[in-house]
Amino acid sequence: MKKTKIGIVGCGGIGTGVACFVDKNLKDKVFIYAICDVDSEKACVLKKKLKAHPKVLGLDDLIKSADLIVEVASKEAAKLTLAKAIKYKKDVMILSVGALIENKALIKKADACGINIYIPSGAICGVDGLGALSVANIKDISLITSKPPKGLIGADYLKNKKIDLNNLKKEKVVFNGSVNEAIKHFPKNINVAAILLLVSNFSKVNVCIKADPKIKRNTHRIEINAKEAKICVEVANVPSSVNPKTSTLAILSAQYMLKKIFSSLKIGN
């Protein structure tokens, strides 16, 4: 049986976690064929960790030669990766989901070309229930994200608003607004909001972001109110040791989706 060639764009903590999972657990069906990163040193370090001995390629060459592209880099990289995946007619998994909200025309192009865009559920649960309600009558959706201050420090929005989180003593609301505004101001923190918007197809998702020095986990509380059901989901994730702006569950969800893609048993969405 011919194995599927996977190309990974981004060789940081999340890319490494995904690549090592595929290398160890899915080797009978797929293999890491190529990797790329703007930091070539990161790519070389990851290559040494993998038994598949992938090629280190530029973005164009990677997308041309791989069968499935997995983006785990940044919002900017996701936009470029998707555009090139459409050009070369390759299926793609996107983890920097905010790029899809800001470039919806690319989704339409992918659909017209018959290209699959896979989006892991990321740092939240309950996406299947939200997906079911998306064909019903949703009234409102809200997301409250609370993170330890170090998970938010560095965002330009905080600097522009002169919000100092370094010596924070109690919980502080740092943002309240729409998904589009959240993605614009916190591109490395708020993939969850983008996923909710895409899955629900509901334009008025309200996002509240809090910094809380008393917590050690990234917490997401989702409330969905529809005519047919009310859903309340709260997830408290351990921040990634290599990147506190993301959660370990986000990495696991990407691993699980790859496992699901190449499994004959498919449950939920």
Side-chain angles (χ1 to χ4, degrees), residues 124-195:
I124 56 172
C125 299
V127 171
D128 53 346
L130 176 56
L133 288 178
S134 71
V135 296
N137 298 279
I138 295 175
K139 295 179 179 179
D140 55 75
I141 301 174
S142 65
L143 167 67
I144 300 174
T145 290
S146 299
K147 293 194 174 189
K150 67 178 181 180
L152 294 166
I153 288 174
D156 289 337
Y157 177 85
L158 300 180
K159 297 176 184 177
N160 295 337
K161 295 290 184 178
K162 297 182 180 179
I163 300 174
D164 184 7
L165 301 180
N166 287 294
N167 298 299
L168 194 65
K169 301 300 181 183
K170 60 181 181 180
E171 177 186 273
K172 181 179 181 64
V173 174
V174 298
F175 175 85
N176 200 346
S178 69
V179 173
N180 292 77
E181 291 174 319
I183 292 168
K184 177 182 177 182
H185 298 306
F186 297 90
K188 296 181 180 180
N189 296 93
I190 208 66
N191 274 335
V192 169
I195 291 168

Side-chain angles (χ1 to χ4, degrees), residues 93-150:
M93 180 186 293
I94 298 291
L95 270 73
S96 304
V97 191
L100 299 180
I101 303 298
E102 295 181 343
N103 300 277
K104 290 185 177 180
L106 288 176
I107 301 177
K108 292 181 179 179
K109 284 185 179 180
D111 187 46
C113 295
I115 293 168
N116 293 310
I117 303 174
Y118 298 103
I119 304 174
S121 57
I124 56 172
C125 299
V127 171
D128 53 346
L130 176 56
L133 288 178
S134 71
V135 296
N137 298 279
I138 295 175
K139 295 179 179 179
D140 55 75
I141 301 174
S142 65
L143 167 67
I144 300 174
T145 290
S146 299
K147 293 194 174 189
K150 67 178 181 180

